[in-house]
Amino acid sequence: MNDRFLRACRREPVDMTPVWFMRQAGRYMASYRAIRDHHTLLDICRNPELAAQVTLQPVNEIEVDAAILFSDLLLPLEPMGIPFDFVKGEGPVIDPPVRTVERIDGLRRFEPRESLAHVLDTIRLLRTQLDVPLIGFAGAPFTLASYAIEGGPSSNYARTKALMYGEPEAWHRLADTFATIVADYLTAQIEAGAQAVQVFDSWVGALSARDYREFVLPHTQKIFATVAPLGIPTLHFGTGTTTILAEMREAGGDVIGLDWRIPLDDGWAQVGDDRAVQGNLDPTLLLGPVERMLRGAHDVLQRAGGRPGHIFNLGHGILPSTDLEHVRTLAHFVHHQTA
Ligand code: CP3
Protein backbone atom coordinates (compact mmCIF):
# COMPACT_ATOMS: atom_id res chain seq x y z
CA MET A 1 0.00 0.00 0.00
CA ASN A 2 1.42 3.38 -1.08
CA ASP A 3 0.70 5.71 1.86
CA ARG A 4 2.78 8.73 0.85
CA PHE A 5 -0.32 10.84 0.33
CA LEU A 6 -1.76 10.04 3.77
CA ARG A 7 1.61 10.59 5.43
CA ALA A 8 1.96 14.01 3.81
CA CYS A 9 -1.58 14.94 4.96
CA ARG A 10 -0.36 14.25 8.50
CA ARG A 11 2.91 16.18 7.86
CA GLU A 12 5.01 13.04 8.26
CA PRO A 13 8.20 12.58 6.24
CA VAL A 14 7.84 10.90 2.82
CA ASP A 15 10.25 9.25 0.36
CA MET A 16 8.91 11.34 -2.55
CA THR A 17 6.44 14.24 -2.79
CA PRO A 18 3.00 12.69 -3.27
CA VAL A 19 1.04 13.82 -6.30
CA TRP A 20 -2.53 13.53 -7.53
CA PHE A 21 -4.61 15.80 -9.74
CA MET A 22 -8.02 17.32 -9.33
CA ARG A 23 -10.16 16.08 -12.24
CA GLN A 24 -7.61 13.34 -12.91
CA ALA A 25 -10.43 11.26 -14.41
CA GLY A 26 -12.11 13.03 -17.28
CA ARG A 27 -12.38 14.06 -20.88
CA TYR A 28 -8.66 14.58 -21.49
CA MET A 29 -8.30 10.78 -21.27
CA ALA A 30 -9.17 8.64 -24.29
CA SER A 31 -10.14 5.77 -21.96
CA TYR A 32 -12.68 8.07 -20.23
CA ARG A 33 -14.10 9.34 -23.54
CA ALA A 34 -14.55 5.74 -24.70
CA ILE A 35 -16.87 5.13 -21.74
CA ARG A 36 -18.57 8.53 -22.09
CA ASP A 37 -19.41 7.66 -25.72
CA HIS A 38 -21.88 5.12 -24.34
CA HIS A 39 -22.97 6.61 -21.01
CA THR A 40 -23.92 10.02 -19.65
CA LEU A 41 -21.95 11.56 -16.80
CA LEU A 42 -24.82 10.82 -14.39
CA ASP A 43 -25.10 7.21 -15.63
CA ILE A 44 -21.43 6.73 -14.75
CA CYS A 45 -21.85 8.39 -11.33
CA ARG A 46 -24.86 6.17 -10.52
CA ASN A 47 -23.32 2.88 -11.63
CA PRO A 48 -20.72 1.59 -9.12
CA GLU A 49 -18.94 -0.66 -11.66
CA LEU A 50 -18.56 2.18 -14.17
CA ALA A 51 -17.69 4.79 -11.55
CA ALA A 52 -15.03 2.48 -10.09
CA GLN A 53 -13.64 1.74 -13.55
CA VAL A 54 -13.32 5.47 -14.34
CA THR A 55 -11.76 6.19 -10.92
CA LEU A 56 -9.06 3.60 -11.70
CA GLN A 57 -8.17 4.96 -15.16
CA PRO A 58 -5.76 7.69 -13.99
CA VAL A 59 -4.38 5.40 -11.27
CA ASN A 60 -3.44 2.88 -13.96
CA GLU A 61 -2.20 5.39 -16.53
CA ILE A 62 -0.39 8.03 -14.42
CA GLU A 63 1.98 7.79 -11.42
CA VAL A 64 -0.53 9.22 -8.94
CA ASP A 65 -0.40 8.57 -5.20
CA ALA A 66 -4.15 8.81 -4.57
CA ALA A 67 -7.43 8.02 -6.28
CA ILE A 68 -10.40 10.37 -6.12
CA LEU A 69 -13.84 8.87 -6.15
CA PHE A 70 -15.51 9.47 -9.51
CA SER A 71 -18.71 11.29 -8.69
CA ASP A 72 -19.99 14.84 -8.90
CA LEU A 73 -20.35 17.66 -6.43
CA LEU A 74 -24.00 18.15 -7.33
CA LEU A 75 -25.31 14.63 -6.56
CA PRO A 76 -26.71 15.57 -3.12
CA LEU A 77 -28.92 18.28 -4.66
CA GLU A 78 -31.47 15.91 -6.20
CA PRO A 79 -32.47 14.07 -2.97
CA MET A 80 -32.74 17.48 -1.23
CA GLY A 81 -35.37 18.47 -3.77
CA ILE A 82 -33.19 20.41 -6.23
CA PRO A 83 -33.29 18.70 -9.65
CA PHE A 84 -30.45 19.24 -12.11
CA ASP A 85 -28.92 17.84 -15.26
CA PHE A 86 -25.72 18.20 -17.27
CA VAL A 87 -26.40 19.84 -20.62
CA LYS A 88 -23.86 19.39 -23.38
CA GLY A 89 -21.78 22.53 -23.85
CA GLU A 90 -23.38 24.31 -20.90
CA GLY A 91 -22.35 22.31 -17.84
CA PRO A 92 -24.81 21.79 -15.00
CA VAL A 93 -28.31 23.25 -15.21
CA ILE A 94 -30.31 23.44 -11.98
CA ASP A 95 -33.97 23.83 -12.80
CA PRO A 96 -35.86 25.36 -11.13
CA PRO A 97 -33.16 27.22 -9.18
CA VAL A 98 -33.65 28.00 -5.49
CA ARG A 99 -34.82 31.61 -5.44
CA THR A 100 -37.38 31.92 -2.63
CA VAL A 101 -37.47 31.55 1.13
CA GLU A 102 -40.36 29.06 0.76
CA ARG A 103 -38.19 26.87 -1.43
CA ILE A 104 -35.29 27.03 1.06
CA ASP A 105 -37.61 26.03 3.87
CA GLY A 106 -38.98 23.13 1.81
CA LEU A 107 -35.58 21.50 1.19
CA ARG A 108 -35.24 18.02 2.62
CA ARG A 109 -32.58 16.37 4.68
CA PHE A 110 -32.09 12.83 3.44
CA GLU A 111 -30.30 9.62 4.39
CA PRO A 112 -27.18 9.36 2.17
CA ARG A 113 -26.96 5.63 2.97
CA GLU A 114 -30.22 5.23 1.03
CA SER A 115 -30.43 8.04 -1.54
CA LEU A 116 -26.73 7.97 -2.44
CA ALA A 117 -26.11 4.27 -1.70
CA HIS A 118 -24.55 3.86 -5.16
CA VAL A 119 -21.73 6.27 -4.21
CA LEU A 120 -21.02 4.27 -1.06
CA ASP A 121 -21.10 1.02 -3.07
CA THR A 122 -18.53 2.55 -5.45
CA ILE A 123 -16.27 3.32 -2.48
CA ARG A 124 -16.58 -0.24 -1.11
CA LEU A 125 -15.84 -1.71 -4.53
CA LEU A 126 -12.82 0.55 -5.06
CA ARG A 127 -11.30 -0.35 -1.72
CA THR A 128 -10.98 -3.95 -2.92
CA GLN A 129 -9.15 -2.80 -6.07
CA LEU A 130 -6.82 0.05 -5.07
CA ASP A 131 -3.26 0.12 -3.79
CA VAL A 132 -3.31 3.90 -3.27
CA PRO A 133 -5.60 5.76 -0.82
CA LEU A 134 -9.10 6.69 -1.90
CA ILE A 135 -10.24 10.31 -1.47
CA GLY A 136 -13.96 10.94 -0.98
CA PHE A 137 -15.38 14.43 -1.46
CA ALA A 138 -18.30 16.80 -1.25
CA GLY A 139 -19.04 20.44 -1.98
CA ALA A 140 -18.94 23.16 0.67
CA PRO A 141 -22.08 25.16 1.52
CA PHE A 142 -21.13 28.29 -0.46
CA THR A 143 -20.26 26.47 -3.67
CA LEU A 144 -23.31 24.18 -3.49
CA ALA A 145 -25.61 27.10 -2.65
CA SER A 146 -24.20 29.11 -5.54
CA TYR A 147 -25.16 26.38 -8.04
CA ALA A 148 -28.59 25.96 -6.43
CA ILE A 149 -29.33 29.70 -6.46
CA GLU A 150 -27.72 30.76 -9.75
CA GLY A 151 -29.04 27.70 -11.59
CA GLY A 152 -25.60 26.93 -13.05
CA PRO A 153 -22.15 28.46 -13.32
CA SER A 154 -21.92 32.19 -12.60
CA SER A 155 -19.34 34.93 -13.04
CA ASN A 156 -20.36 37.26 -10.22
CA TYR A 157 -22.63 35.24 -7.87
CA ALA A 158 -25.02 38.20 -7.83
CA ARG A 159 -28.12 36.24 -6.81
CA THR A 160 -26.22 34.27 -4.17
CA LYS A 161 -24.86 37.45 -2.62
CA ALA A 162 -28.22 39.18 -2.94
CA LEU A 163 -29.72 36.41 -0.78
CA MET A 164 -26.89 36.71 1.77
CA TYR A 165 -27.21 40.45 2.11
CA GLY A 166 -30.97 40.72 1.64
CA GLU A 167 -32.25 37.69 3.57
CA PRO A 168 -29.39 36.75 5.91
CA GLU A 169 -31.54 34.48 8.05
CA ALA A 170 -32.72 32.50 5.05
CA TRP A 171 -29.11 32.31 3.79
CA HIS A 172 -27.94 30.91 7.13
CA ARG A 173 -30.75 28.32 7.13
CA LEU A 174 -29.79 27.26 3.61
CA ALA A 175 -26.06 27.09 4.38
CA ASP A 176 -26.76 25.16 7.58
CA THR A 177 -28.92 22.66 5.66
CA PHE A 178 -26.05 22.10 3.22
CA ALA A 179 -23.55 21.79 6.09
CA THR A 180 -25.67 19.20 7.87
CA ILE A 181 -26.19 17.17 4.71
CA VAL A 182 -22.54 17.33 3.63
CA ALA A 183 -21.27 16.36 7.11
CA ASP A 184 -23.60 13.37 7.05
CA TYR A 185 -22.66 12.42 3.49
CA LEU A 186 -18.92 12.59 4.24
CA THR A 187 -19.44 10.52 7.39
CA ALA A 188 -21.15 7.87 5.26
CA GLN A 189 -18.29 7.97 2.73
CA ILE A 190 -15.75 7.46 5.53
CA GLU A 191 -17.77 4.55 6.98
CA ALA A 192 -17.79 3.00 3.49
CA GLY A 193 -13.99 3.23 3.28
CA ALA A 194 -12.89 6.67 2.04
CA GLN A 195 -9.40 7.23 3.50
CA ALA A 196 -9.38 11.04 3.23
CA VAL A 197 -12.07 13.57 2.27
CA GLN A 198 -11.79 16.81 0.35
CA VAL A 199 -14.31 19.62 0.73
CA PHE A 200 -14.50 21.62 -2.51
CA ASP A 201 -15.37 25.28 -2.02
CA SER A 202 -14.34 26.01 -5.58
CA TRP A 203 -16.01 29.43 -5.92
CA VAL A 204 -15.74 30.87 -2.40
CA GLY A 205 -12.96 33.21 -3.54
CA ALA A 206 -15.79 35.47 -4.75
CA LEU A 207 -16.20 36.64 -1.13
CA SER A 208 -14.27 39.16 0.94
CA ALA A 209 -12.68 37.91 4.16
CA ARG A 210 -15.33 39.73 6.15
CA ASP A 211 -18.21 38.14 4.26
CA TYR A 212 -16.53 34.74 4.41
CA ARG A 213 -16.34 35.06 8.18
CA GLU A 214 -19.97 36.11 8.54
CA PHE A 215 -21.72 33.97 5.93
CA VAL A 216 -19.56 30.90 5.34
CA LEU A 217 -17.07 30.14 8.11
CA PRO A 218 -19.53 28.82 10.75
CA HIS A 219 -21.15 26.46 8.23
CA THR A 220 -17.98 25.04 6.70
CA GLN A 221 -16.56 24.77 10.22
CA LYS A 222 -19.51 22.60 11.22
CA ILE A 223 -18.59 20.10 8.48
CA PHE A 224 -14.96 19.83 9.60
CA ALA A 225 -15.95 19.68 13.27
CA THR A 226 -18.20 16.70 12.50
CA VAL A 227 -15.70 14.84 10.35
CA ALA A 228 -12.41 15.55 12.22
CA PRO A 229 -13.13 13.14 15.12
CA LEU A 230 -13.47 10.28 12.59
CA GLY A 231 -9.67 10.37 12.41
CA ILE A 232 -8.94 10.52 8.69
CA PRO A 233 -7.25 13.46 6.94
CA THR A 234 -9.47 16.28 5.68
CA LEU A 235 -8.62 18.62 2.79
CA HIS A 236 -10.16 22.06 2.21
CA PHE A 237 -9.95 23.50 -1.29
CA GLY A 238 -11.00 26.70 -3.02
CA THR A 239 -9.83 29.02 -5.79
CA GLY A 240 -9.28 32.77 -5.69
CA THR A 241 -8.67 32.35 -1.96
CA THR A 242 -5.44 34.36 -1.58
CA THR A 243 -7.16 36.88 0.72
CA ILE A 244 -9.11 34.35 2.82
CA LEU A 245 -6.59 31.60 3.58
CA ALA A 246 -6.51 32.46 7.29
CA GLU A 247 -10.32 32.19 7.45
CA MET A 248 -10.36 28.89 5.52
CA ARG A 249 -7.77 27.53 7.90
CA GLU A 250 -9.98 28.54 10.81
CA ALA A 251 -12.95 26.76 9.22
CA GLY A 252 -10.90 23.57 9.14
CA GLY A 253 -8.93 21.02 7.16
CA ASP A 254 -5.68 19.21 7.89
CA VAL A 255 -4.61 20.20 4.37
CA ILE A 256 -5.43 23.55 2.78
CA GLY A 257 -5.56 23.74 -1.03
CA LEU A 258 -3.74 26.62 -2.72
CA ASP A 259 -4.53 27.83 -6.22
CA TRP A 260 -1.84 29.11 -8.61
CA ARG A 261 -2.40 32.80 -7.88
CA ILE A 262 -0.20 32.75 -4.77
CA PRO A 263 3.38 31.44 -4.56
CA LEU A 264 3.25 28.20 -2.57
CA ASP A 265 5.57 29.42 0.20
CA ASP A 266 3.56 32.64 0.71
CA GLY A 267 0.36 30.61 0.84
CA TRP A 268 1.84 28.15 3.30
CA ALA A 269 3.01 31.03 5.53
CA GLN A 270 -0.58 32.29 5.68
CA VAL A 271 -1.98 28.82 6.31
CA GLY A 272 0.58 28.18 9.05
CA ASP A 273 3.12 25.40 9.42
CA ASP A 274 0.84 23.35 11.64
CA ARG A 275 -1.17 22.47 8.52
CA ALA A 276 -0.26 20.71 5.29
CA VAL A 277 -0.82 22.34 1.90
CA GLN A 278 -1.82 21.02 -1.51
CA GLY A 279 -1.03 22.63 -4.83
CA ASN A 280 -0.45 24.64 -6.79
CA LEU A 281 0.64 24.55 -10.43
CA ASP A 282 -1.50 26.51 -12.91
CA PRO A 283 -3.49 23.85 -14.86
CA THR A 284 -3.03 25.90 -18.03
CA LEU A 285 0.72 25.23 -17.89
CA LEU A 286 -0.08 21.62 -18.80
CA LEU A 287 -1.32 22.80 -22.19
CA GLY A 288 1.89 24.54 -23.14
CA PRO A 289 5.48 23.58 -23.76
CA VAL A 290 6.59 20.77 -21.44
CA GLU A 291 9.74 22.75 -20.63
CA ARG A 292 7.74 25.59 -19.16
CA MET A 293 5.39 23.21 -17.31
CA LEU A 294 8.36 21.52 -15.65
CA ARG A 295 9.92 24.86 -14.74
CA GLY A 296 6.64 25.73 -13.02
CA ALA A 297 6.61 22.40 -11.19
CA HIS A 298 10.22 22.88 -10.14
CA ASP A 299 9.32 26.28 -8.70
CA VAL A 300 6.43 24.79 -6.68
CA LEU A 301 8.72 22.07 -5.29
CA GLN A 302 11.46 24.58 -4.44
CA ARG A 303 8.99 26.74 -2.56
CA ALA A 304 7.80 23.67 -0.63
CA GLY A 305 11.48 23.12 0.15
CA GLY A 306 11.10 19.45 1.03
CA ARG A 307 9.16 20.35 4.20
CA PRO A 308 6.84 17.55 5.37
CA GLY A 309 3.22 18.30 4.53
CA HIS A 310 3.29 19.20 0.82
CA ILE A 311 1.01 17.35 -1.59
CA PHE A 312 1.65 18.27 -5.20
CA ASN A 313 -1.47 19.07 -7.24
CA LEU A 314 -2.68 21.72 -9.64
CA GLY A 315 -4.26 24.95 -8.48
CA HIS A 316 -7.54 23.65 -9.96
CA GLY A 317 -8.68 20.75 -12.14
CA ILE A 318 -7.04 19.35 -15.28
CA LEU A 319 -8.52 21.05 -18.37
CA PRO A 320 -10.21 18.82 -20.99
CA SER A 321 -7.76 19.84 -23.76
CA THR A 322 -4.73 18.63 -21.76
CA ASP A 323 -2.42 16.04 -23.34
CA LEU A 324 -2.31 12.90 -21.15
CA GLU A 325 1.40 12.55 -21.92
CA HIS A 326 2.05 15.93 -20.22
CA VAL A 327 0.23 14.78 -17.10
CA ARG A 328 2.29 11.58 -17.03
CA THR A 329 5.53 13.53 -17.49
CA LEU A 330 4.58 15.93 -14.70
CA ALA A 331 3.77 13.20 -12.16
CA HIS A 332 7.04 11.43 -12.93
CA PHE A 333 8.97 14.70 -12.60
CA VAL A 334 7.43 15.47 -9.19
CA HIS A 335 8.41 12.07 -7.84
CA HIS A 336 11.95 12.10 -9.12
CA GLN A 337 12.78 15.76 -8.43
CA THR A 338 12.34 15.09 -4.78
CA ALA A 339 13.53 11.51 -4.44
O1 CP3 B 1 -11.24 13.03 -11.16
C1 CP3 B 1 -11.88 13.74 -10.36
O2 CP3 B 1 -11.48 14.85 -9.94
C2 CP3 B 1 -13.16 13.18 -9.79
C3 CP3 B 1 -14.36 13.52 -10.38
C4 CP3 B 1 -15.07 14.85 -10.19
C5 CP3 B 1 -16.05 15.29 -11.10
N1 CP3 B 1 -16.63 16.42 -10.59
C6 CP3 B 1 -16.44 14.62 -12.33
C7 CP3 B 1 -16.92 15.46 -13.44
C8 CP3 B 1 -15.01 15.78 -9.15
C9 CP3 B 1 -14.09 15.81 -7.93
C10 CP3 B 1 -16.00 16.76 -9.43
C11 CP3 B 1 -16.30 17.88 -8.53
C12 CP3 B 1 -17.02 19.03 -9.07
N2 CP3 B 1 -18.15 19.02 -9.86
C13 CP3 B 1 -16.73 20.37 -8.76
C14 CP3 B 1 -15.66 20.82 -7.82
C15 CP3 B 1 -14.35 20.69 -8.44
C16 CP3 B 1 -13.89 21.89 -9.16
O3 CP3 B 1 -13.63 21.77 -10.35
O4 CP3 B 1 -13.78 22.92 -8.50
C17 CP3 B 1 -17.67 21.17 -9.42
C18 CP3 B 1 -17.71 22.68 -9.39
C19 CP3 B 1 -18.56 20.31 -10.09
C20 CP3 B 1 -19.75 20.66 -10.89
C21 CP3 B 1 -19.53 20.33 -12.29
N3 CP3 B 1 -19.50 19.04 -12.80
C22 CP3 B 1 -19.34 21.22 -13.37
C23 CP3 B 1 -19.27 22.73 -13.23
C24 CP3 B 1 -19.21 20.44 -14.52
C25 CP3 B 1 -19.10 20.90 -15.93
C26 CP3 B 1 -17.76 21.42 -16.24
C27 CP3 B 1 -17.20 20.71 -17.43
O5 CP3 B 1 -15.99 20.43 -17.38
O6 CP3 B 1 -17.95 20.45 -18.38
C28 CP3 B 1 -19.27 19.09 -14.13
C29 CP3 B 1 -19.13 17.93 -15.01
C30 CP3 B 1 -18.11 16.92 -14.65
N4 CP3 B 1 -17.93 16.39 -13.41
C31 CP3 B 1 -17.21 16.33 -15.52
C32 CP3 B 1 -16.44 15.40 -14.78
C33 CP3 B 1 -15.35 14.49 -15.25
C34 CP3 B 1 -17.12 16.66 -17.01
C35 CP3 B 1 -17.07 15.42 -17.80
C36 CP3 B 1 -18.14 15.04 -18.74
O7 CP3 B 1 -19.01 15.79 -19.16
O8 CP3 B 1 -17.98 13.86 -19.08
Side-chain angles (χ1 to χ4, degrees), residues 50-121:
L50 285 175
Q53 192 185 341
V54 171
T55 303
L56 291 169
Q57 287 174 341
V59 177
N60 294 331
E61 296 181 48
I62 309 160
E63 274 183 42
V64 286
D65 298 298
I68 181 159
L69 169 72
F70 190 84
S71 181
D72 197 84
L73 205 71
L74 302 180
L75 292 192
L77 297 185
E78 178 112 64
M80 293 176 71
I82 310 174
F84 70 92
D85 203 355
F86 289 99
V87 178
K88 201 171 164 51
E90 276 181 60
V93 175
I94 293 85
D95 189 26
V98 175
R99 299 260 169 95
T100 62
V101 174
E102 293 67 40
R103 186 88 190 283
I104 290 171
D105 292 332
L107 294 175
R108 297 186 291 270
R109 274 190 69 176
F110 64 90
E111 173 49 76
R113 293 158 196 84
E114 288 166 17
S115 306
L116 296 173
H118 53 88
V119 175
L120 308 175
D121 289 338

Side-chain angles (χ1 to χ4, degrees), residues 207-264:
L207 297 182
S208 66
R210 178 186 291 203
D211 284 351
Y212 183 94
R213 184 167 289 284
E214 177 174 352
F215 295 110
V216 173
L217 198 152
H219 306 293
T220 300
Q221 197 164 46
K222 176 172 170 170
I223 297 171
F224 285 103
T226 306
V227 173
L230 303 179
I232 68 158
T234 56
L235 301 90
H236 188 182
F237 169 78
T239 68
T241 54
T242 297
T243 54
I244 58 170
L245 288 171
E247 286 74 16
M248 285 179 67
R249 170 210 150 86
E250 199 174 320
D254 300 307
V255 183
I256 304 294
L258 301 173
D259 81 0
W260 65 90
R261 293 173 178 89
I262 188 163
L264 184 122

Side-chain angles (χ1 to χ4, degrees), residues 112-319:
R113 293 158 196 84
E114 288 166 17
S115 306
L116 296 173
H118 53 88
V119 175
L120 308 175
D121 289 338
T122 305
I123 293 173
R124 283 186 279 264
L125 184 59
L126 278 164
R127 283 300 307 277
T128 68
Q129 301 174 344
L130 280 167
D131 54 10
V132 293
L134 177 62
I135 305 170
F137 72 91
F142 178 83
T143 292
L144 289 173
S146 79
Y147 280 106
I149 295 166
E150 307 291 338
S154 170
S155 49
N156 53 22
Y157 304 94
R159 291 177 193 272
T160 308
K161 292 185 181 185
L163 179 74
M164 279 180 176
Y165 302 141
E167 304 271 2
E169 288 172 8
W171 163 265
H172 283 294
R173 286 201 299 281
L174 176 63
D176 181 67
T177 302
F178 278 120
T180 306
I181 286 170
V182 165
D184 211 22
Y185 181 37
L186 290 176
T187 301
Q189 291 186 36
I190 295 164
E191 285 166 10
Q195 290 154 289
V197 289
Q198 178 156 318
V199 174
F200 283 92
D201 212 350
S202 307
W203 312 131
V204 76
L207 297 182
S208 66
R210 178 186 291 203
D211 284 351
Y212 183 94
R213 184 167 289 284
E214 177 174 352
F215 295 110
V216 173
L217 198 152
H219 306 293
T220 300
Q221 197 164 46
K222 176 172 170 170
I223 297 171
F224 285 103
T226 306
V227 173
L230 303 179
I232 68 158
T234 56
L235 301 90
H236 188 182
F237 169 78
T239 68
T241 54
T242 297
T243 54
I244 58 170
L245 288 171
E247 286 74 16
M248 285 179 67
R249 170 210 150 86
E250 199 174 320
D254 300 307
V255 183
I256 304 294
L258 301 173
D259 81 0
W260 65 90
R261 293 173 178 89
I262 188 163
L264 184 122
D265 45 348
D266 292 355
W268 205 342
Q270 287 190 44
V271 163
D273 57 14
D274 60 338
R275 302 289 176 94
V277 293
Q278 176 169 277
N280 70 339
L281 191 70
D282 187 334
T284 329
L285 277 174
L286 276 71
L287 306 179
V290 170
E291 247 317 273
R292 193 172 183 104
M293 169 182 85
L294 296 182
R295 253 189 289 144
H298 179 74
D299 181 65
V300 169
L301 291 166
Q302 284 242 297
R303 290 177 187 278
R307 284 175 281 174
H310 174 225
I311 297 150
F312 191 97
N313 204 315
L314 307 180
H316 201 176
I318 297 182
L319 297 163

